[in-house]
Amino acid sequence: MKRRHPMTWLVVWLAVALLAALFALVAVVAQLPADKQLDSAHLAGMELGQQMCLGFRSEMGRIARPASAPSQPQHGGLL
């Protein structure tokens, strides 16, 4: 007959209770309605970010063709 630790059942019970609570939380969060205001704010931010980056070359373009150094400093950059 193999002896078990006295707290084995407590640990198993706590693990089952934790999994049940986690599944209940996932079920409740999954059923929440999508927030239209949050979605529209996210899309507006994505659109603004895209407009800000229109004048920049992509990383792949920078690697393929390194930019030549400007002869005079340019004003109005990002910083």
Side-chain angles (χ1 to χ4, degrees), residues 29-74:
V29 170
Q31 292 178 358
L32 288 177
D35 189 7
K36 300 293 182 190
Q37 184 180 5
L38 181 62
D39 288 342
S40 64
H42 173 72
L43 291 176
M46 293 289 287
E47 183 178 345
L48 179 62
Q50 183 68 26
Q51 289 175 359
M52 290 172 59
C53 294
L54 284 178
F56 297 107
R57 294 186 301 167
S58 68
E59 290 295 321
M60 295 302 291
R62 291 181 192 168
I63 294 170
R65 296 176 280 132
S68 60
S71 58
Q72 295 181 1
Q74 296 177 348

Side-chain angles (χ1 to χ4, degrees), residues 11-29:
V11 171
V12 169
W13 186 85
L14 287 174
V16 170
L18 180 66
L19 285 175
L22 180 65
F23 284 135
L25 180 65
V26 167
V28 168
V29 170

